[in-house]
Every structure is written in structure tokens, then in C-alpha cells.
Amino acid sequence: MIQEYLSEELIQLDIQVEMREEVIDRLAELMEAKGIMARNEDFLYNVFERERNGTTSMGSEIAIPYGTSKDVNRSAIAVARLIKPIYWDDGNPVSYVFLIAALKGEETVLYSSLKEKLMDQKVREQLKIASTPVQVVSALQI
């Protein structure tokens, strides 16, 4: 199920950011540029509102921020692997960010499915050694 929401063009490897907001902004801009959403302002507002209500860090250096908006054209997942971990709001280090932009009603299903997939040790090991977006997509197909 997750694979239909992933595309190589929405994966950025080895990027440098200093803060959670910076990586979320960057991935949302990428999604907007690729036509996933018409504009990202309302979407970002919803994502950061969701972040204020509870952490989206799941441990294992992974965070899955998510949101929805009237401007989202189709559900998708953007991925960033960071050069250096940043600390999420709960104090956990995060090196992998999976930003979900979802059509209304799909956000919790996508979040739960992705989180379940990322709980698999084998998937996380494959993500660590992935050197291309194609390999990231493959890792999530395990």
C-alpha cells in the first residue's frame, strides 16, 4: 500500500538542516513543486498544529509528520535522510523524516501503515544503506 504514495522524485538523501521546521518546510516545498499540492501554506499550518498536539517521532531516528489540506491534490509521502540528526520535540534524534500529505480521511491510515512498515528492523537497515532514491523505495517494499 505504501509504495503507491512514494516516488523517487519526492526523496532527498543526505540533506543538511538544523531544525524540524526546516526539513518539513523543505519537503512541503518539494511536494508543491511536484504538484502534490497547489499551495503549501495551509498544509504546513495543519502539519505544525499536529506537531503541537504530540510528537511524530517514533524512535529509531525516524519521524513521520503528517497533515491534510484542501490544497492537497493527491496523497503522497516525501522522504528526507539527514546528514546529521536533528532533535525532534520529544528530544529524540531524527535522521529520517517521512512527510505525509494526505487527502482528507487518508492521513491516519497512511501514518499507521507507514509506521508499521518502519517498525521492521530489516526495513530500517535497508534505509541506512540506501544510496539512491530507488533503493529507498525498494527498502520500503520489503
Side-chain angles (χ1 to χ4, degrees):
M1 174 183 156
I2 294 301
Q3 293 78 10
E4 66 189 81
Y5 301 99
L6 289 168
S7 77
E8 297 160 25
E9 65 184 6
L10 294 176
I11 298 173
Q12 295 191 337
L13 300 178
D14 303 325
I15 65 170
Q16 179 71 43
V17 295
E18 300 297 323
M19 300 171 55
R20 167 183 70 166
E21 293 78 10
E22 188 179 355
V23 68
I24 292 172
D25 283 342
R26 190 164 170 174
L27 290 174
E29 287 172 9
L30 177 62
M31 291 176 128
E32 182 179 356
K34 299 299 180 184
I36 304 302
M37 62 188 78
R39 298 174 327 155
N40 67 27
E41 293 85 6
D42 186 53
F43 170 74
L44 284 170
Y45 174 82
N46 289 325
V47 170
F48 290 125
E49 187 64 28
R50 167 66 192 87
E51 289 291 316
R52 281 188 282 281
N53 291 326
T55 189
T56 54
S57 166
M58 62 170 272
S60 300
E61 293 190 51
I62 297 171
I64 312 172
Y66 63 94
T68 187
S69 159
K70 64 185 179 340
D71 295 318
V72 173
N73 298 320
R74 64 180 174 89
S75 296
I77 301 169
V79 182
R81 182 175 65 197
L82 311 180
I83 291 173
K84 183 178 91 179
I86 57 174
Y87 290 90
W88 221 248
D89 61 339
D90 61 357
N92 282 325
V94 168
S95 296
Y96 301 89
V97 179
F98 295 82
L99 178 62
I100 299 172
L103 294 172
K104 194 74 169 161
E106 291 186 355
E107 65 274 13
T108 54
V109 172
L110 273 174
Y111 174 80
S112 296
S113 297
L114 182 59
K115 185 174 180 179
E116 183 178 332
K117 176 68 74 175
L118 292 168
M119 290 174 75
D120 184 327
Q121 174 83 21
K122 193 172 180 182
V123 171
R124 292 193 313 269
E125 287 171 4
Q126 290 301 306
L127 285 172
K128 284 184 182 182
I129 62 171
S131 59
T132 66
V134 171
Q135 291 173 334
V136 171
V137 171
S138 293
L140 292 164
Q141 292 176 344
I142 292 174

PDB file of all heavy atoms in Angstrom, residues 60-75:
ATOM      1  N   SER A  60      14.022   5.203  16.852  1.00  0.00           N
ATOM      2  CA  SER A  60      14.838   4.643  15.768  1.00  0.00           C
ATOM      3  C   SER A  60      15.250   5.705  14.750  1.00  0.00           C
ATOM      4  O   SER A  60      15.406   5.409  13.567  1.00  0.00           O
ATOM      5  CB  SER A  60      14.103   3.496  15.060  1.00  0.00           C
ATOM      6  OG  SER A  60      13.810   2.459  15.950  1.00  0.00           O
ATOM      7  N   GLU A  61      15.380   6.948  15.200  1.00  0.00           N
ATOM      8  CA  GLU A  61      15.797   8.086  14.371  1.00  0.00           C
ATOM      9  C   GLU A  61      14.811   8.410  13.246  1.00  0.00           C
ATOM     10  O   GLU A  61      15.195   8.933  12.205  1.00  0.00           O
ATOM     11  CB  GLU A  61      17.198   7.864  13.798  1.00  0.00           C
ATOM     12  CG  GLU A  61      18.271   7.853  14.868  1.00  0.00           C
ATOM     13  CD  GLU A  61      19.663   7.882  14.299  1.00  0.00           C
ATOM     14  OE1 GLU A  61      19.961   8.758  13.453  1.00  0.00           O
ATOM     15  OE2 GLU A  61      20.466   7.025  14.700  1.00  0.00           O
ATOM     16  N   ILE A  62      13.526   8.116  13.460  1.00  0.00           N
ATOM     17  CA  ILE A  62      12.506   8.340  12.442  1.00  0.00           C
ATOM     18  C   ILE A  62      11.392   9.241  12.973  1.00  0.00           C
ATOM     19  O   ILE A  62      10.950   9.074  14.108  1.00  0.00           O
ATOM     20  CB  ILE A  62      11.900   6.990  11.977  1.00  0.00           C
ATOM     21  CG1 ILE A  62      12.980   6.135  11.317  1.00  0.00           C
ATOM     22  CG2 ILE A  62      10.710   7.202  11.047  1.00  0.00           C
ATOM     23  CD1 ILE A  62      12.553   4.707  11.030  1.00  0.00           C
ATOM     24  N   ALA A  63      10.941  10.154  12.108  1.00  0.00           N
ATOM     25  CA  ALA A  63       9.759  10.970  12.414  1.00  0.00           C
ATOM     26  C   ALA A  63       8.831  10.914  11.211  1.00  0.00           C
ATOM     27  O   ALA A  63       9.283  10.857  10.060  1.00  0.00           O
ATOM     28  CB  ALA A  63      10.153  12.415  12.711  1.00  0.00           C
ATOM     29  N   ILE A  64       7.532  10.931  11.497  1.00  0.00           N
ATOM     30  CA  ILE A  64       6.521  10.867  10.445  1.00  0.00           C
ATOM     31  C   ILE A  64       5.511  11.996  10.633  1.00  0.00           C
ATOM     32  O   ILE A  64       4.376  11.774  11.067  1.00  0.00           O
ATOM     33  CB  ILE A  64       5.785   9.510  10.434  1.00  0.00           C
ATOM     34  CG1 ILE A  64       6.761   8.336  10.496  1.00  0.00           C
ATOM     35  CG2 ILE A  64       4.896   9.397   9.188  1.00  0.00           C
ATOM     36  CD1 ILE A  64       6.089   6.973  10.670  1.00  0.00           C
ATOM     37  N   PRO A  65       5.909  13.238  10.343  1.00  0.00           N
ATOM     38  CA  PRO A  65       4.920  14.317  10.409  1.00  0.00           C
ATOM     39  C   PRO A  65       3.894  14.138   9.292  1.00  0.00           C
ATOM     40  O   PRO A  65       4.216  13.598   8.225  1.00  0.00           O
ATOM     41  CB  PRO A  65       5.764  15.578  10.211  1.00  0.00           C
ATOM     42  CG  PRO A  65       6.988  15.119   9.506  1.00  0.00           C
ATOM     43  CD  PRO A  65       7.221  13.700   9.930  1.00  0.00           C
ATOM     44  N   TYR A  66       2.671  14.563   9.548  1.00  0.00           N
ATOM     45  CA  TYR A  66       1.640  14.396   8.531  1.00  0.00           C
ATOM     46  C   TYR A  66       0.563  15.462   8.662  1.00  0.00           C
ATOM     47  O   TYR A  66       0.410  16.082   9.708  1.00  0.00           O
ATOM     48  CB  TYR A  66       1.027  13.000   8.591  1.00  0.00           C
ATOM     49  CG  TYR A  66       0.310  12.669   9.881  1.00  0.00           C
ATOM     50  CD1 TYR A  66      -1.068  12.859  10.010  1.00  0.00           C
ATOM     51  CD2 TYR A  66       0.998  12.154  10.966  1.00  0.00           C
ATOM     52  CE1 TYR A  66      -1.722  12.548  11.196  1.00  0.00           C
ATOM     53  CE2 TYR A  66       0.359  11.836  12.151  1.00  0.00           C
ATOM     54  CZ  TYR A  66      -1.008  12.032  12.264  1.00  0.00           C
ATOM     55  OH  TYR A  66      -1.655  11.723  13.436  1.00  0.00           O
ATOM     56  N   GLY A  67      -0.153  15.659   7.583  1.00  0.00           N
ATOM     57  CA  GLY A  67      -1.243  16.613   7.590  1.00  0.00           C
ATOM     58  C   GLY A  67      -2.073  16.502   6.336  1.00  0.00           C
ATOM     59  O   GLY A  67      -1.770  15.734   5.427  1.00  0.00           O
ATOM     60  N   THR A  68      -3.124  17.289   6.331  1.00  0.00           N
ATOM     61  CA  THR A  68      -4.025  17.332   5.194  1.00  0.00           C
ATOM     62  C   THR A  68      -4.405  18.787   4.956  1.00  0.00           C
ATOM     63  O   THR A  68      -4.153  19.640   5.797  1.00  0.00           O
ATOM     64  CB  THR A  68      -5.263  16.442   5.441  1.00  0.00           C
ATOM     65  OG1 THR A  68      -6.030  16.387   4.244  1.00  0.00           O
ATOM     66  CG2 THR A  68      -6.093  16.943   6.593  1.00  0.00           C
ATOM     67  N   SER A  69      -4.966  19.061   3.818  1.00  0.00           N
ATOM     68  CA  SER A  69      -5.356  20.419   3.468  1.00  0.00           C
ATOM     69  C   SER A  69      -6.251  20.365   2.247  1.00  0.00           C
ATOM     70  O   SER A  69      -6.178  19.424   1.453  1.00  0.00           O
ATOM     71  CB  SER A  69      -4.097  21.248   3.172  1.00  0.00           C
ATOM     72  OG  SER A  69      -4.395  22.379   2.407  1.00  0.00           O
ATOM     73  N   LYS A  70      -7.042  21.390   2.084  1.00  0.00           N
ATOM     74  CA  LYS A  70      -7.875  21.493   0.884  1.00  0.00           C
ATOM     75  C   LYS A  70      -7.013  21.634  -0.368  1.00  0.00           C
ATOM     76  O   LYS A  70      -7.465  21.361  -1.474  1.00  0.00           O
ATOM     77  CB  LYS A  70      -8.834  22.674   1.010  1.00  0.00           C
ATOM     78  CG  LYS A  70      -8.136  24.027   1.079  1.00  0.00           C
ATOM     79  CD  LYS A  70      -9.106  25.149   1.318  1.00  0.00           C
ATOM     80  CE  LYS A  70      -8.511  26.518   1.418  1.00  0.00           C
ATOM     81  NZ  LYS A  70      -7.139  26.709   1.713  1.00  0.00           N
ATOM     82  N   ASP A  71      -5.763  22.036  -0.207  1.00  0.00           N
ATOM     83  CA  ASP A  71      -4.855  22.230  -1.334  1.00  0.00           C
ATOM     84  C   ASP A  71      -4.113  20.967  -1.763  1.00  0.00           C
ATOM     85  O   ASP A  71      -3.401  20.971  -2.762  1.00  0.00           O
ATOM     86  CB  ASP A  71      -3.842  23.332  -1.010  1.00  0.00           C
ATOM     87  CG  ASP A  71      -4.515  24.683  -0.844  1.00  0.00           C
ATOM     88  OD1 ASP A  71      -5.414  24.996  -1.652  1.00  0.00           O
ATOM     89  OD2 ASP A  71      -4.158  25.416   0.091  1.00  0.00           O
ATOM     90  N   VAL A  72      -4.260  19.865  -1.005  1.00  0.00           N
ATOM     91  CA  VAL A  72      -3.611  18.610  -1.379  1.00  0.00           C
ATOM     92  C   VAL A  72      -4.394  17.984  -2.537  1.00  0.00           C
ATOM     93  O   VAL A  72      -5.596  17.747  -2.432  1.00  0.00           O
ATOM     94  CB  VAL A  72      -3.526  17.631  -0.179  1.00  0.00           C
ATOM     95  CG1 VAL A  72      -3.012  16.264  -0.617  1.00  0.00           C
ATOM     96  CG2 VAL A  72      -2.628  18.201   0.919  1.00  0.00           C
ATOM     97  N   ASN A  73      -3.711  17.741  -3.650  1.00  0.00           N
ATOM     98  CA  ASN A  73      -4.335  17.161  -4.848  1.00  0.00           C
ATOM     99  C   ASN A  73      -4.398  15.642  -4.794  1.00  0.00           C
ATOM    100  O   ASN A  73      -5.312  15.036  -5.335  1.00  0.00           O
ATOM    101  CB  ASN A  73      -3.561  17.575  -6.109  1.00  0.00           C
ATOM    102  CG  ASN A  73      -3.572  19.071  -6.294  1.00  0.00           C
ATOM    103  OD1 ASN A  73      -4.571  19.732  -6.074  1.00  0.00           O
ATOM    104  ND2 ASN A  73      -2.431  19.609  -6.699  1.00  0.00           N
ATOM    105  N   ARG A  74      -3.383  15.035  -4.191  1.00  0.00           N
ATOM    106  CA  ARG A  74      -3.347  13.586  -4.038  1.00  0.00           C
ATOM    107  C   ARG A  74      -2.427  13.258  -2.865  1.00  0.00           C
ATOM    108  O   ARG A  74      -1.504  14.009  -2.558  1.00  0.00           O
ATOM    109  CB  ARG A  74      -2.872  12.888  -5.307  1.00  0.00           C
ATOM    110  CG  ARG A  74      -1.448  13.195  -5.712  1.00  0.00           C
ATOM    111  CD  ARG A  74      -1.055  12.462  -7.003  1.00  0.00           C
ATOM    112  NE  ARG A  74       0.252  12.858  -7.468  1.00  0.00           N
ATOM    113  CZ  ARG A  74       1.397  12.282  -7.113  1.00  0.00           C
ATOM    114  NH1 ARG A  74       1.396  11.256  -6.295  1.00  0.00           N
ATOM    115  NH2 ARG A  74       2.549  12.720  -7.592  1.00  0.00           N
ATOM    116  N   SER A  75      -2.683  12.150  -2.224  1.00  0.00           N
ATOM    117  CA  SER A  75      -1.870  11.736  -1.084  1.00  0.00           C
ATOM    118  C   SER A  75      -0.494  11.277  -1.569  1.00  0.00           C
ATOM    119  O   SER A  75      -0.384  10.633  -2.611  1.00  0.00           O
ATOM    120  CB  SER A  75      -2.556  10.609  -0.324  1.00  0.00           C
ATOM    121  OG  SER A  75      -3.776  11.056   0.234  1.00  0.00           O
TER     122      SER A  75
END
